[in-house]
Amino acid sequence: MSEAELERYITSYRSTVYRLAYSYLKNREDAEDISQEAFLRLYKCGQCFAADENVKAWLIRVTVNLCKNLLKSSWHKRRGELITEAAAPPRESIGIGEYISRLKPEYSAVLYLFYYEGYSVKEIAQICRLTSVAVRTRLSRGRDKLKEMLLKEDAI
């Protein structure tokens, strides 16, 4: 893969890869590291892809795997959070994406892929190596949890 091709893929897919990593990790620095690692692996891969959509699906799959590996690593489990949480932003400034990112990774990832990236249930199942039923269940549960969060915010 040439550097020009890599730059084109980075320009096209960096926000997708970063947002997916952030939905899993809930940490900007970790999401940036995972994004960088995913593109580094793309460069080292040397595989020719038939279409740009294949590259996107490959990057999403690699990103999901890297996130899962980081979350289950003993280093990640033992580390402490160094940054104290800032005051919550005013309610008006919180978008739906912020609420989605507060969900568990299994819900936020499928919601992100379905609504923001426009993948079908079948495509998400292939990317995440789940059954279509599992994806539909996660979408449904994610929507329910999102609805609960939004109703709870309105009650305050």
Side-chain angles (χ1 to χ4, degrees):
M1 172 177 298
S2 70
E3 289 185 26
E5 282 180 307
L6 180 65
E7 286 182 34
R8 184 171 58 88
Y9 291 139
I10 290 172
T11 302
S12 299
Y13 304 125
R14 87 172 137 218
S15 65
T16 299
V17 170
Y18 173 80
R19 288 189 306 236
L20 181 61
Y22 187 80
S23 75
Y24 263 88
L25 303 172
K26 315 281 192 270
N27 180 304
R28 287 187 176 123
E29 291 79 16
D30 288 342
E32 289 171 2
D33 289 345
I34 292 295
S35 300
Q36 185 176 11
E37 180 65 24
F39 285 108
L40 183 61
R41 289 192 182 191
L42 176 65
Y43 183 70
K44 288 180 179 179
C45 175
Q47 180 179 346
C48 290
F49 294 95
D52 283 355
E53 274 303 308
N54 295 352
V55 174
K56 184 178 180 182
W58 187 90
L59 280 168
I60 289 172
R61 181 73 243 156
V62 168
T63 302
V64 167
N65 288 341
L66 288 169
C67 290
K68 286 180 178 181
N69 290 343
L70 179 64
L71 288 173
K72 69 182 178 183
S73 72
S74 60
W75 174 83
H76 181 77
K77 291 176 183 175
R78 286 185 284 140
R79 76 177 186 170
E81 191 63 40
L82 297 176
I83 302 170
T84 58
E85 289 295 321
R91 233 179 70 166
E92 298 82 28
S93 68
I94 296 178
I96 195 76
E98 178 65 30
Y99 287 107
I100 289 173
S101 71
R102 292 179 186 174
L103 296 172
K104 289 183 179 180
E106 62 261 22
Y107 302 132
S108 63
V110 294
L111 286 170
Y112 171 75
L113 291 171
F114 188 78
Y115 289 109
Y116 287 96
E117 294 301 323
Y119 283 105
S120 69
V121 171
K122 185 178 179 182
E123 291 169 327
I124 295 170
Q126 290 172 341
I127 290 170
C128 295
R129 296 186 181 140
L130 298 167
T131 64
S132 295
V133 173
V135 172
R136 283 194 295 273
T137 301
R138 289 181 183 192
L139 280 170
S140 176
R141 289 180 183 168
R143 288 180 195 121
D144 291 344
K145 300 230 182 251
L146 192 58
K147 182 178 176 181
E148 287 174 18
M149 288 170 54
L150 292 170
L151 290 174
K152 184 178 178 184
E153 288 291 321
D154 284 341
I156 294 176

XYZ file of all heavy atoms in Angstrom, residues 66-108:
344
model
N -9.142 -4.426 18.608
C -8.154 -3.716 19.426
C -8.783 -3.179 20.712
O -8.176 -3.248 21.786
C -7.525 -2.576 18.620
C -6.564 -2.975 17.504
C -6.231 -1.769 16.627
C -5.300 -3.592 18.075
N -9.996 -2.659 20.601
C -10.696 -2.148 21.790
C -10.988 -3.262 22.784
O -10.755 -3.113 23.992
C -11.999 -1.451 21.391
S -11.765 0.098 20.525
N -11.477 -4.382 22.282
C -11.770 -5.509 23.167
C -10.498 -6.015 23.838
O -10.505 -6.332 25.037
C -12.439 -6.639 22.384
C -13.871 -6.355 22.023
C -14.473 -7.507 21.241
C -15.927 -7.268 20.900
N -16.502 -8.404 20.151
N -9.412 -6.095 23.092
C -8.145 -6.546 23.666
C -7.659 -5.594 24.748
O -7.169 -6.030 25.792
C -7.073 -6.698 22.584
C -7.339 -7.859 21.657
O -8.121 -8.747 21.966
N -6.689 -7.850 20.510
N -7.795 -4.293 24.514
C -7.374 -3.319 25.521
C -8.236 -3.428 26.774
O -7.718 -3.414 27.895
C -7.439 -1.900 24.959
C -7.033 -0.801 25.935
C -5.567 -0.945 26.337
C -7.286 0.564 25.343
N -9.546 -3.562 26.598
C -10.440 -3.627 27.755
C -10.207 -4.858 28.616
O -10.409 -4.813 29.826
C -11.902 -3.582 27.295
C -12.378 -2.236 26.767
C -13.769 -2.353 26.182
C -12.333 -1.169 27.847
N -9.776 -5.957 28.007
C -9.555 -7.155 28.812
C -8.105 -7.307 29.284
O -7.806 -8.239 30.013
C -10.011 -8.406 28.052
C -9.198 -8.788 26.863
C -9.785 -10.017 26.186
C -8.982 -10.383 24.957
N -9.548 -11.511 24.240
N -7.240 -6.374 28.905
C -5.844 -6.469 29.325
C -5.715 -6.169 30.819
O -6.448 -5.356 31.377
C -4.968 -5.502 28.520
O -5.214 -4.166 28.904
N -4.783 -6.830 31.446
C -4.577 -6.624 32.883
C -4.066 -5.212 33.153
O -4.381 -4.617 34.178
C -3.616 -7.665 33.446
O -2.364 -7.572 32.805
N -3.293 -4.662 32.227
C -2.806 -3.300 32.398
C -3.970 -2.321 32.479
O -4.001 -1.447 33.337
C -1.887 -2.927 31.225
C -1.477 -1.495 31.261
C -0.458 -0.958 31.982
C -2.101 -0.397 30.590
N -0.395 0.400 31.788
C -1.411 0.764 30.931
C -3.180 -0.301 29.727
C -1.747 2.012 30.453
C -3.517 0.951 29.244
C -2.800 2.081 29.611
N -4.932 -2.478 31.590
C -6.077 -1.567 31.561
C -6.918 -1.701 32.833
O -7.416 -0.711 33.362
C -6.943 -1.840 30.331
C -8.120 -0.932 30.225
N -8.015 0.371 29.804
C -9.437 -1.124 30.506
C -9.202 0.933 29.822
N -10.076 0.056 30.234
N -7.067 -2.914 33.310
C -7.886 -3.143 34.500
C -7.243 -2.563 35.753
O -7.933 -2.145 36.674
C -8.129 -4.638 34.693
C -9.037 -5.228 33.636
C -9.178 -6.719 33.809
C -10.033 -7.304 32.704
N -10.103 -8.751 32.755
N -5.889 -2.536 35.784
C -5.185 -2.065 36.981
C -4.928 -0.575 36.995
O -4.649 -0.012 38.051
C -3.840 -2.786 37.119
C -3.985 -4.219 37.576
C -2.638 -4.855 37.810
N -2.077 -5.169 36.489
C -0.811 -5.016 36.163
N 0.048 -4.588 37.029
N -0.387 -5.311 34.953
N -4.989 0.072 35.866
C -4.612 1.481 35.843
C -5.689 2.337 36.498
O -6.870 2.023 36.475
C -4.339 1.955 34.425
C -5.569 2.173 33.616
C -5.234 2.701 32.259
N -6.489 3.014 31.590
C -6.570 3.659 30.475
N -5.490 4.054 29.875
N -7.739 3.900 29.934
N -5.282 3.420 37.056
C -6.206 4.349 37.688
C -6.497 5.504 36.758
O -5.737 5.806 35.844
N -7.580 6.158 36.984
C -7.945 7.310 36.171
C -7.230 8.526 36.748
O -7.449 8.905 37.890
C -9.459 7.510 36.192
C -9.970 8.511 35.196
C -9.706 8.100 33.753
O -9.844 6.922 33.418
O -9.350 8.986 32.971
N -6.356 9.140 35.947
C -5.567 10.266 36.420
C -6.305 11.589 36.284
O -6.064 12.516 37.024
C -4.252 10.338 35.635
C -3.323 9.145 35.805
C -2.104 9.310 34.900
C -2.904 9.005 37.242
N -7.175 11.668 35.324
C -7.871 12.919 35.066
C -9.181 12.935 35.840
O -9.977 12.023 35.740
C -8.151 13.083 33.558
C -6.840 13.037 32.792
C -8.923 14.354 33.286
C -7.010 12.952 31.300
N -9.375 13.973 36.611
C -10.640 14.090 37.328
C -11.708 14.545 36.360
O -11.439 15.270 35.397
C -10.530 15.103 38.483
O -10.138 16.357 37.935
C -9.518 14.633 39.513
N -12.902 14.117 36.599
C -14.005 14.466 35.722
C -14.310 15.957 35.850
O -14.393 16.505 36.948
C -15.260 13.661 36.092
C -15.163 12.196 35.741
C -15.076 11.976 34.244
O -15.769 12.686 33.485
O -14.306 11.100 33.844
N -14.463 16.599 34.733
C -14.849 18.006 34.705
C -16.331 18.104 35.029
O -17.064 17.129 34.967
C -14.566 18.591 33.334
N -16.738 19.290 35.352
C -18.157 19.495 35.631
C -18.968 19.118 34.396
O -18.531 19.316 33.271
C -18.407 20.956 35.996
N -20.130 18.580 34.627
C -20.984 18.157 33.512
C -21.370 19.371 32.682
O -21.673 20.429 33.221
C -22.229 17.471 34.051
N -21.354 19.228 31.369
C -21.748 20.363 30.525
C -23.230 20.662 30.693
O -23.995 19.808 31.120
C -21.449 19.870 29.107
C -21.395 18.384 29.205
C -21.008 18.054 30.603
N -23.635 21.874 30.364
C -25.061 22.195 30.460
C -25.872 21.241 29.609
O -25.420 20.776 28.577
C -25.145 23.622 29.904
C -23.762 24.137 29.857
C -22.839 22.972 29.879
N -27.070 20.944 30.061
C -27.911 19.965 29.382
C -28.160 20.296 27.925
O -28.239 19.421 27.089
C -29.248 19.860 30.110
C -29.577 18.459 30.477
C -30.850 18.409 31.196
N -31.899 18.719 30.226
C -33.162 18.519 30.407
N -33.574 18.033 31.525
N -34.052 18.815 29.499
N -28.261 21.569 27.609
C -28.547 21.965 26.247
C -27.416 21.551 25.299
O -27.624 21.364 24.120
C -28.773 23.475 26.135
C -29.964 23.974 26.925
C -29.645 24.179 28.397
O -28.485 24.459 28.757
O -30.564 24.036 29.212
N -26.173 21.439 25.813
C -25.041 21.174 24.936
C -24.789 19.681 24.731
O -23.929 19.316 23.965
C -23.784 21.839 25.494
O -23.386 21.211 26.685
N -25.516 18.830 25.430
C -25.313 17.398 25.289
C -26.148 16.888 24.121
O -27.357 17.057 24.083
C -25.713 16.645 26.578
C -24.819 17.057 27.728
C -25.633 15.140 26.360
C -25.171 16.413 29.053
N -25.480 16.285 23.163
C -26.168 15.725 22.009
C -26.467 14.253 22.235
O -26.011 13.638 23.205
N -27.214 13.678 21.318
C -27.586 12.268 21.430
C -26.350 11.380 21.386
O -26.305 10.340 22.033
C -28.632 11.891 20.361
C -29.286 10.560 20.682
C -28.006 11.834 18.991
C -30.288 10.629 21.773
N -25.328 11.801 20.640
C -24.083 11.032 20.571
C -23.422 10.889 21.930
O -22.838 9.851 22.245
N -23.529 11.914 22.743
C -22.959 11.862 24.094
C -23.693 10.826 24.945
O -23.087 10.088 25.698
C -23.041 13.242 24.751
C -22.522 13.290 26.167
C -21.033 13.011 26.280
O -20.291 13.319 25.358
O -20.621 12.475 27.328
N -24.999 10.769 24.802
C -25.772 9.769 25.537
C -25.435 8.356 25.053
O -25.313 7.437 25.851
C -27.274 10.022 25.398
C -27.752 11.217 26.189
C -28.098 12.405 25.551
C -27.848 11.175 27.571
C -28.535 13.500 26.270
C -28.277 12.266 28.297
C -28.615 13.426 27.643
O -29.039 14.514 28.362
N -25.280 8.202 23.750
C -24.919 6.888 23.207
C -23.564 6.456 23.739
O -23.361 5.291 24.087
C -24.937 6.907 21.658
C -26.383 7.012 21.161
C -24.270 5.666 21.080
C -26.517 7.207 19.669
N -22.628 7.388 23.846
C -21.291 7.026 24.332
C -21.293 6.629 25.809
O -20.359 5.983 26.272
C -20.310 8.173 24.106
O -20.579 9.243 24.972
N -22.339 6.965 26.533
C -22.437 6.575 27.948
C -22.921 5.135 28.130
O -22.839 4.585 29.221
C -23.388 7.508 28.684
C -22.886 8.913 28.822
C -23.900 9.763 29.550
N -23.500 11.158 29.573
C -24.257 12.124 30.037
N -25.460 11.854 30.512
N -23.831 13.369 30.022
N -23.451 4.547 27.069
C -23.944 3.168 27.139
C -22.786 2.186 27.190
O -21.650 2.524 26.857
C -24.813 2.858 25.918
C -26.101 3.651 25.765
C -26.726 3.366 24.405
C -27.080 3.318 26.874
N -23.082 0.940 27.559
C -22.073 -0.109 27.517
C -21.589 -0.270 26.084
O -22.358 -0.063 25.141
C -22.668 -1.437 27.998
C -22.942 -1.489 29.469
C -23.463 -2.868 29.844
C -23.721 -2.976 31.327
N -24.232 -4.312 31.670
N -20.331 -0.669 25.906
C -19.779 -0.778 24.547
C -20.580 -1.671 23.606
O -20.705 -1.354 22.424
C -18.383 -1.369 24.777
C -18.021 -0.973 26.162
C -19.321 -0.938 26.924
N -21.139 -2.752 24.105
C -21.884 -3.639 23.198
C -23.123 -2.970 22.624
O -23.578 -3.315 21.541
C -22.239 -4.973 23.856
C -23.129 -4.865 25.067
C -22.382 -4.945 26.383
O -21.179 -4.686 26.410
O -23.031 -5.261 27.389
N -23.678 -2.009 23.355
C -24.836 -1.280 22.858
C -24.409 -0.069 22.020
O -24.953 0.178 20.955
C -25.746 -0.817 23.995
C -26.250 -1.933 24.872
C -26.181 -1.847 26.256
C -26.781 -3.087 24.319
C -26.650 -2.870 27.060
C -27.244 -4.121 25.120
C -27.167 -4.005 26.491
O -27.620 -5.019 27.284
N -23.447 0.686 22.530
C -23.042 1.903 21.825
C -22.434 1.586 20.462
O -22.660 2.317 19.495
C -22.078 2.728 22.675
O -20.884 2.024 22.912
